[in-house]
Amino acid sequence: MTRRGHRAAAVSIVAALILVPVLECGGAKPAAAPVAPRCPNVGDDAAVLAFDWTTFGLDAARANDMKRALAAALEMKRLAAGVDADLKTGCGGLATDLGATGDFATGTAACDAASRAIHDALAKLGKASIAIDASTPKCGAPLDVFTACAAACDASLEHGAPTCAPNELQGACTGACSGTCDVQRGAKCSGTCRGKCDGKCKGKCEGVASRGVCAGTCDGTCTGACTGSCELRAKSSCNGTCTGACDAEMKTPSCVAEIAASRPSPACDARCNARAAAKATCTRARVGVTIKGANKTLAKNLKAALENDLPLVLQVSSGMRPRLEKLASEMKSLLEEAQSLATGPLAACVSAPLRDGVDAAASIESSTAKTASIAVALHMP
């Protein structure tokens, strides 16, 4: 072979070696790079609950815990938004009616403005005396909402009927009610009336002892029809919303305490309590204000603002606060535990919604604490 032929052959061999794939020892092909699992739409409850979280390397138990925690985080975020909206309306209305200006971005900002406006109004009243008689609203979370939520949370769980202590039920009672009856349309009250009385009030009228006709809020025995809250003496009929025990089946029952499941999953339980809390309905707080020794115009404005706006604030501060604070504390623990399971590709998928849920729980704690500042400003118990 000529020198030119040897050179051409060498070039061909080198080219062939370049084109031949490099094989690992033993002839095995290199492993393909792992493909990251697909992340579902973590902003949608149905997508979160339907997704197979074992694709992220979790065992079946932890995969179930993760999807329930994510669904709970989404529910907590919605509940926090609802509480914030209520406080923007209640505290914001109170602040505005007392002369505050501006657009309040959050419920806590509105409550801060309302507290300042109350302090300013009281300072203008000087040495005048102010008495506030306010009832505590009763807030019931619907049992049917909890039941439907529990059934959808995880089909692998066997959910029985949710439980609520009999004296903590609320709803329409066709039989005799033992407890409190919230009378909306005015009816005879066989007990203590706290509200408007169209007859004689024996007890306190606007916080002052009374034995006659009461033009304001009556807290005592009403000889006529009572529109407000009636504390029943014994088992009596209730033409309104009964909070307590009913000797017949209560229609559309709600629970004024935390609802318990017969076979609960902590995350499902928390999620469904949050959903039921978001749908809770409350009896309206009755607020009566008496101001003495003050400029009549100032007194009239303050009285009107408090009686009009304070009931919605009290709905959160006293009606819903115990439920919300307990739920927020439980939710934070559950979601923080779920965060500890999230590493690698899973963390990239779930960290944001879990963090949003924890932030929502903290927001609820902050919001409910702010409502206490209103009561402090008004020297309410």
Side-chain angles (χ1 to χ4, degrees):
M1 183 179 291
T2 64
R3 183 176 297 177
R4 180 177 295 174
H6 283 293
R7 185 177 300 160
V11 171
S12 298
I13 292 171
V14 171
L17 289 173
I18 292 173
L19 294 173
V20 173
V22 178
L23 302 180
E24 293 185 354
C25 182
K29 292 182 179 181
V35 178
R38 176 180 63 87
C39 183
N41 179 2
V42 290
D44 178 73
D45 299 70
V48 164
L49 292 172
F51 186 72
D52 180 9
W53 292 94
T54 61
T55 58
F56 279 96
L58 299 175
D59 59 35
R62 289 191 172 187
N64 279 331
D65 288 342
M66 180 58 67
K67 71 178 180 181
R68 295 168 192 159
L70 284 166
L74 293 174
E75 206 64 60
M76 200 61 180
K77 189 175 178 180
R78 285 190 284 266
L79 177 60
V83 171
D84 187 69
D86 283 344
L87 291 181
K88 282 177 71 174
T89 300
C91 287
L94 184 55
T96 301
D97 287 347
L98 291 177
T101 58
D103 184 19
F104 312 113
T106 64
T108 54
C111 288
D112 282 338
S115 294
R116 291 192 296 271
I118 289 170
H119 280 297
D120 292 344
L122 293 178
K124 291 176 183 177
L125 288 178
K127 295 182 179 180
S129 66
I130 176 170
I132 300 175
D133 180 33
S135 64
T136 300
K138 307 288 186 180
C139 300
L143 292 172
D144 59 346
V145 170
F146 185 98
T147 302
C149 171
C153 189
D154 193 337
S156 68
L157 293 174
E158 294 183 27
H159 290 284
T163 57
C164 180
N167 62 342
E168 293 174 335
L169 285 170
Q170 185 176 83
C173 175
T174 57
C177 171
S178 297
T180 302
C181 178
D182 190 62
V183 187
Q184 297 292 344
R185 293 180 297 275
K188 185 73 176 176
C189 172
S190 59
T192 301
C193 171
R194 296 195 71 180
K196 217 174 158 186
C197 172
D198 70 357
K200 290 184 177 181
C201 171
K202 183 179 179 182
K204 289 185 177 180
C205 176
E206 298 287 278
V208 180
S210 170
R211 296 184 68 86
V213 175
C214 176
T217 300
C218 171
D219 186 358
T221 303
C222 174
T223 60
C226 171
T227 299
S229 171
C230 176
E231 193 75 33
L232 302 173
R233 278 198 290 263
K235 287 187 176 182
S236 305
S237 61
C238 172
N239 182 24
T241 302
C242 171
T243 302
C246 178
D247 68 0
E249 184 177 356
M250 191 174 281
K251 294 182 179 179
T252 60
S254 295
C255 189
V256 296
E258 186 178 40
I259 302 170
S262 59
R263 292 187 183 181
S265 154
C268 281
D269 212 16
R271 176 194 180 222
C272 295
N273 264 300
R275 176 165 292 190
K279 301 289 186 181
T281 56
C282 303
T283 59
R284 182 176 171 83
R286 308 292 164 179
V287 177
V289 180
T290 304
I291 302 175
K292 293 183 177 180
N295 176 284
K296 288 185 178 181
T297 300
L298 293 176
K300 181 180 178 181
N301 290 342
L302 179 57
K303 175 181 171 69
L306 293 176
E307 292 182 343
N308 182 58
D309 302 313
L310 195 55
L312 185 53
V313 178
L314 292 176
Q315 180 173 305
V316 176
S317 66
S318 56
M320 291 292 292
R321 185 177 180 183
R323 182 198 304 270
L324 292 174
E325 288 183 337
K326 186 174 188 299
L327 185 56
S329 176
E330 291 174 350
M331 195 71 81
K332 282 174 69 176
S333 297
L334 285 165
L335 299 182
E336 286 169 354
E337 183 178 348
Q339 284 177 315
S340 69
L341 298 176
T343 58
L346 178 60
C349 180
V350 304
S351 290
L354 290 176
R355 184 176 60 252
D356 287 347
V358 173
D359 290 346
S363 170
I364 284 178
E365 289 177 330
S366 175
S367 296
T368 54
K370 282 293 182 183
T371 61
S373 65
I374 305 294
V376 171
L378 292 170
H379 308 292
M380 294 174 65

